Amino acid sequence: QEQLVESGGGLVQAGDSLRLSCAASGSAFNRYDMGWFRQAPGREREFVSRISGSSAEKEYADSVKGRFTISRDNAKNTVSLQMNSLKPEDTAVYFCAGVVIHGGAGWTAYYWGQGTRVTVSS
């Protein structure tokens, strides 16, 4: 079981950049996929990105592809999300997620952080 803690959220202007970080306390961090989800005000939680245990595989939602970059440091048990060219529609609470998988219902995860808020002003 993983305990995930996000940090790095804040208020930025459109076009700016922000880097989110997630610290995990579990003992099997390097064995499973990690990722990020987000939930905008009044919206359902949505998939943003995932990264495999070895960092060999990375995936992004179409809405963030080319702007966001996910990475991980297994030695430090951390996952990061570099967000560039931020748009107002990126405003949401961003959640770190452990054991990210996808099936017929779409992307989901077994472990979740409490979230860090990102606000992008026009």
Side-chain angles (χ1 to χ4, degrees):
Q1 183 175 339
E2 291 280 347
Q3 183 173 30
L4 309 174
V5 181
E6 305 96 333
S7 62
L11 173 63
V12 298
Q13 297 184 46
D16 209 344
S17 298
L18 201 60
R19 187 177 182 85
L20 306 183
S21 183
C22 171
S25 61
S27 61
F29 181 79
N30 69 148
R31 302 178 187 174
Y32 51 76
D33 289 11
M34 298 292 295
W36 293 89
F37 289 70
R38 67 186 182 186
Q39 186 168 18
R43 303 292 300 279
E44 296 290 331
R45 181 178 58 194
E46 67 174 338
F47 168 80
V48 174
S49 183
R50 74 100 184 177
I51 184 170
S52 64
S54 66
S55 296
E57 299 176 3
K58 300 177 182 179
E59 293 187 65
Y60 302 91
D62 289 342
S63 59
V64 307
K65 191 173 297 182
R67 299 188 298 120
F68 290 11
T69 302
I70 190 170
S71 62
R72 67 191 294 163
D73 185 339
N74 290 341
K76 297 181 178 180
N77 277 200
T78 58
V79 179
S80 297
L81 185 69
Q82 178 65 43
M83 305 183 293
N84 297 328
S85 301
L86 284 163
K87 305 174 180 179
E89 51 261 46
D90 293 319
T91 294
V93 175
Y94 283 72
F95 298 92
C96 183
V99 193
V100 175
I101 60 174
H102 70 86
W107 292 95
T108 190
Y110 286 113
Y111 307 117
W112 303 91
Q114 291 299 303
T116 185
R117 187 167 185 81
V118 172
T119 302
V120 184
S121 63
S122 301

